[in-house]
Amino acid sequence: MNHPRLTERAITRSLIAAGIVLALPLGAIAQTAAQTAAITDATATKADDAPVEPVVVVTAFKRSSTLLKTPAALSVLSGDNLREQGVNDLTNIQDVIPGLVIANTMDGVQVAMRGVQANDTSSKGEQDIAFNVDGVNIGRGNARGGAFFDIDRIEVLRGPQGTLYGRSSTGGAINVITNKPQLGQTSGYAKLEFGNFNAQRAEAAINIPLGEMLAFRAAGVSNTRDGYSHPIDYTTSYNGTTYYFPASASSVKNDQRDRAGRFSLLFKPVSDTTLQLTQTVSHQGGTGTSQALETQMQAHNDTGSAALNILPNPVQAFLDSHNSNTAAVLDTRLSDIQLKVLGSHQYLNYRQQLPSAQDVYANGLYRITPYFGDDAFGPAFNFRLNHHQVRTDQFETTIANADASTIEYVAGVNWYREKAGENGQNWNALLWDPLDTATYLSQSGPVNLTTHESKSVFGQATWHLNERVGIIGGLRYTNSDVRRVGTFALPFNFNAGFPPPPYGDDQGNAICVYPNSCVGALNNGEAKDSKVTWKVGLNYQMAPEHLFYTSVATGFKAGGFNDYDPATKTLGQYAASSLTAYEVGYKGRLLPALTLSSSLYYYDFSKNQIAGVTNFVGGQSSPYTQTVPTKIYGWENEGSYKLARETTLSGSVALLHTKFVHFLAGKNAFVGDPIDFSGQELDSSPKLTATLSISHAINLGNGAKVKLRASSKYSSSYLLSDLGNGVRYRQPSFTRSEASVAYEPAQSSVKVQLFVTNIENKIQRTGGLTGYDNSGSPYGGSGSTTFSSMPANNLAFNVNEPRMYGIRLSTDF
């Protein structure tokens, strides 16, 4: 059921109301501070009876603090929260944290936060949301899945983090903190999960002391599941011949064959010094991801796995990704200074063959085998073969005052270098002989090595004028360089009838013949940039558990280069992102059992990097990034109320308004007849999201418990765009709900939980819109599946999971 769209005027009125709501606690807190203190004291004497919200410790500002004393829009999910909610994947956290839309694409996990997101996933592109594991930045989306196990907590920082986190944190940061080895204890856990789609998940960890100064921790996970995107029978005709492809001609997609391990050694020679060495390895396998067809989703009302049916593509599908991360962290106290040194090396070897799920006519009519002596024309099965090798080195040193002080500071230096080898080839296979690899035609693709290197120095401090008032200030200087060496191949120009490039190199090796890369013209480029980002703020601790804060902060993502600039007819550069964020917020404990956080924000995103495919004069088509002015503002609220000792109610409400101030898109944006997106909202930016959850435990009288939990998320509609074709699709509003019931016996550590996610069994489109043809189509095109001569089975999207259910067993020791 679609809900009415919120108008800009309605949101403006809501934001005014939000300001009033933020002001209300000022008087209320002043009147009830003494009463609250009395309640707190009374609670301390009746700890067994009174419901009290726990204190949450975070390190979002690179020093330990409590959640309610950290002046930022910050959400935290503990390891217990993750286990209870069955969050086994990064994409699942969007169902419990406001302001997030997360898509799982062929390039890995892509995050949109408060409407800020990156849509250039090539080797020269960078993220807008930093993703860090134990302080190590994971820059590539397809390297993020292997770290999501044995987790202590997840911290989600919303808003630009240009001071402490620097590059690629324009819209925020997601910090995953894993469990560390513990001295002097032997402990661990084991978890098993069985569910539909033949899901089998196993996770375990063990902590072993090795004397008084050493401890070792090993953790591992194995996750297997059959796919939920099933091929269906498919028949098509060409030149009077009918071709039939049964469902069995293609493999089921969107499965899982993943495993990972983490091994950590902690050395603590004295009480204020630790050295931790960590090695994480992971492998992702199976058939890989697949987009979903709009025709199938509409035919099944977006419901169940049937909505995810795909057309068979006989080309083999596979995913083979190996990832490793070696990290060392030294944390020591030198007199009054806390010193932390972090170094890491990552290696990603990612191979995926991704057959299209779309109609063979989606690729148009191509000259299939010109270099084998056959001028045959016809439709083709399209697929992509990716092989990325990425090596990343990082080094960061920070110092901070070791004890509480009038001035609390963090300062440091950071060096980051990523070498991304990109080989992404688009291929076509003959309709009438799709298994003959000798006839596969390379359509286009890059073969290059791109190096990202940045150096920065930063510092942030809070000056406590008195017990209540603090002034926060921070600066960061970043020097960034991106350079690419390689080629980009366009083997033929069908319209001009140009032949493909040569088919052998100087050594006689075949090129442009599957699976060898097609070598084209040189495609080198370089862009250098430097930037000072800053933050200023004022914190007002009105009472011990009531914090008001306001800040102005900037974000930074370096500029880059386009392969082709229509003005110069050569390689051209685009500017760095420029975002200034204004925020005012409150967070506190209104009662011992009630916590609340609320924030108003406004982003002047004067240079927002938007990437799309654009056609230029002479038929030249090239990925093209523009920096366009955008505006974003909103209001976010999160709260938790412990109704009773064993009953907790929590939820969130977020309003969001985004718009392009000026933006021209479409194939002909620079040579006439552009599509004007000015005044339109940004992608993946629902105007309203809300979550609500309740958990309750029933004591059975003998020490055993039954734990019940239910939660639901509502999201209003949002847009997804094919910027190259200048068209958009509106994902309708939706809810996603989940529930679980668990039994914890008194005399055993074994726990049993039954669970179900996505109770509605509805599918949502999360990105990756492909298949539109703008010919003769009006702007917007919402919901339409046919454009010009394009077939109905052409429009496709990235989507999230259907309903999942099963049983979990766990034990701690």
Side-chain angles (χ1 to χ4, degrees), residues 25 28 41 48 84 124 172 344 377 379 393 442 534 614 626 684 719:
D41 291 341
D48 293 337
E84 290 175 1
K124 66 183 178 66
S344 74
F377 291 77
D393 296 295
S442 177
W534 51 268
T614 303
Q626 307 174 63
S684 304
L719 290 175

Side-chain angles (χ1 to χ4, degrees), residues 161-164 166-167 455-459 474-480 529-536 552-558 576-580:
Q161 307 298 320
T163 303
L164 292 178
R167 58 182 296 278
K455 306 167 187 176
S456 62
V457 56
F458 60 91
L475 286 172
R476 187 182 190 111
Y477 171 77
T478 303
N479 181 278
S480 178
D529 219 333
S530 60
K531 182 79 171 181
V532 174
T533 46
W534 51 268
K535 178 179 182 178
V536 295
V552 183
T554 59
F556 170 65
K557 184 169 74 171
S577 293
S578 180
L579 183 151
T580 303

Side-chain angles (χ1 to χ4, degrees), residues 259-330:
R259 59 185 183 272
R262 183 180 297 116
F263 310 94
S264 302
L265 182 67
L266 179 73
F267 176 51
K268 191 172 185 178
V270 292
S271 62
D272 54 9
T273 298
T274 60
L275 173 64
Q276 182 174 321
L277 306 176
T278 303
Q279 177 69 52
T280 304
V281 293
S282 65
H283 176 261
Q284 293 177 284
T287 58
T289 59
S290 174
Q291 289 191 315
L293 296 172
E294 179 63 20
T295 51
Q296 294 299 316
M297 288 188 282
Q298 286 192 3
H300 297 281
N301 193 27
D302 294 348
T303 302
S305 56
L308 297 168
N309 289 341
I310 57 177
L311 299 185
N313 190 322
V315 176
Q316 181 188 8
F318 63 80
L319 172 63
D320 184 17
S321 178
H322 296 267
N323 188 30
S324 69
N325 182 7
T326 305
V329 179
L330 172 66

Side-chain angles (χ1 to χ4, degrees), residues 645-647 696-707 743-744:
R645 184 173 179 81
E646 299 286 5
T647 306
H696 176 66
I698 302 173
N699 291 304
L700 301 181
N702 58 354
K705 290 183 179 181
V706 173
K707 289 187 173 181
Y743 174 69
E744 298 182 1

Side-chain angles (χ1 to χ4, degrees), residues 378-515:
F381 288 101
N382 178 257
F383 66 97
R384 184 172 178 84
L385 177 58
N386 290 326
H387 186 193
H388 298 164
Q389 291 182 295
V390 184
R391 290 175 170 84
T392 307
D393 296 295
Q394 299 173 68
F395 178 84
E396 181 173 285
T397 299
T398 59
I399 58 172
N401 50 307
D403 301 313
S405 176
T406 301
I407 297 179
E408 295 181 341
Y409 66 89
V410 176
V413 294
N414 179 279
W415 174 76
Y416 178 96
R417 183 180 64 193
E418 176 194 78
K419 291 188 174 183
E422 179 181 26
N423 189 336
Q425 304 292 312
N426 292 300
W427 296 84
N428 290 319
L430 287 171
L431 169 66
W432 45 88
D433 195 5
L435 298 182
D436 184 0
T437 60
T439 64
Y440 287 178
L441 174 70
S442 177
Q443 183 179 337
S444 64
V447 183
N448 57 57
L449 176 65
T450 302
T451 301
H452 294 265
E453 186 168 12
S454 70
K455 306 167 187 176
S456 62
V457 56
F458 60 91
Q460 183 167 299
T462 301
W463 179 19
H464 298 280
L465 300 180
N466 52 47
E467 292 182 355
R468 294 189 174 186
V469 180
I471 298 175
I472 189 170
L475 286 172
R476 187 182 190 111
Y477 171 77
T478 303
N479 181 278
S480 178
D481 183 14
V482 54
R483 52 193 180 274
R484 182 184 65 196
V485 177
T487 72
F488 188 88
L490 290 169
F492 64 91
N493 185 320
F494 171 73
N495 294 326
F498 292 163
Y503 301 111
D505 59 19
D506 294 339
Q507 288 75 41
N509 299 315
I511 58 175
C512 219
V513 177
Y514 178 86

Side-chain angles (χ1 to χ4, degrees), residues 578-599:
S578 180
L579 183 151
T580 303
Y582 306 84
E583 188 151 354
V584 57
Y586 162 80
K587 54 175 54 181
R589 194 183 301 274
L590 297 177
L591 293 170
L594 174 63
T595 61
L596 173 69
S597 64
S598 185
S599 62

